[in-house]
Amino acid sequence: MGHSGGVANRDRNASVPLDAASKAIIEQLQEDGRRPYAAIGKAVGLSEAAVRQRVQKLLDQGVMQIVAVTDPLTVGFTRQAMVGIRVEGDIEPVADALAALDEVDYVVCTAGSFDLLAELVCEDDEHLLELINKRIRALPGVRSTESFVYLKLRKQTYTWGTR
């Protein structure tokens, strides 16, 4: 379940200026991450080589990733949950420790009743209990957790386009 690459420690205020062609390439790949560069080039008015170069630059800059998104249920992970975490003191070390856990696929620092939100992907309820009780609650600085177990996924999208 390990993660390579990914979007980590992203500053919400840091943005990479994108021109219209790069935005159009991103939108093409959001529709189909396996779309050939030649087809993208035709759609956005660039050569295949220019698309390849721009895609590599977007990947290198961390603007996007091209990954296979799986349905956790179909690959043996039958329990997912979002966990709200309240932290005493500095939240950064706790966020880093959570991000290092293989079962955690999403960590955000938040404003509101929780300091952090973490999405967990587990094999079953026993795995979820062990992860929360023995590993997350044991992290220095964790004051309390509240779990939101997923019963049914109604929407998950990666095609929000560009602005």
Side-chain angles (χ1 to χ4, degrees):
M1 186 174 14
H3 303 288
S4 63
V7 178
N9 292 324
R10 184 177 62 196
D11 181 349
R12 300 295 290 175
N13 298 319
S15 68
V16 175
L18 300 174
D19 63 12
S22 290
K23 289 178 181 181
I25 290 169
I26 291 168
E27 290 170 359
Q28 289 284 310
L29 289 168
Q30 284 177 327
E31 288 175 16
D32 179 358
R34 298 185 311 159
R35 184 166 288 154
Y37 291 152
I40 295 170
K42 187 176 284 191
V44 303
L46 293 173
S47 70
E48 179 179 350
V51 170
R52 179 177 285 107
Q53 189 175 43
R54 283 176 179 257
V55 167
Q56 190 58 54
K57 185 176 179 185
L58 292 166
L59 293 168
D60 292 345
Q61 291 174 324
V63 171
M64 67 176 189
Q65 305 171 63
I66 301 173
V67 298
V69 177
T70 59
D71 176 351
L73 289 173
T74 65
V75 292
F77 299 101
T78 62
R79 179 55 69 215
Q80 289 180 270
M82 185 67 69
V83 178
I85 302 156
R86 292 181 184 91
V87 175
E88 222 166 82
D90 187 1
I91 65 173
E92 297 283 339
V94 178
D96 291 343
L98 289 167
L101 297 171
D102 282 342
E103 297 91 344
V104 176
D105 68 358
Y106 180 79
V107 178
V108 290
C109 302
T110 63
S113 53
F114 299 107
D115 299 304
L116 300 167
L117 290 175
E119 185 176 61
L120 314 180
V121 180
C122 297
E123 294 171 20
D124 52 32
D125 287 337
E126 190 65 33
H127 184 194
L128 177 64
L129 178 61
E130 182 273 331
L131 179 61
I132 293 171
N133 196 41
K134 302 274 195 250
R135 294 162 61 200
I136 293 175
R137 287 184 179 156
L139 292 173
V142 171
R143 188 176 56 190
S144 65
T145 63
E146 185 173 343
S147 302
F148 303 90
V149 174
Y150 297 0
L151 298 175
K152 185 175 185 178
L153 181 65
R154 295 298 298 214
K155 180 179 180 179
Q156 182 173 13
T157 184
Y158 300 97
T159 57
W160 47 79
T162 60
R163 303 287 178 269

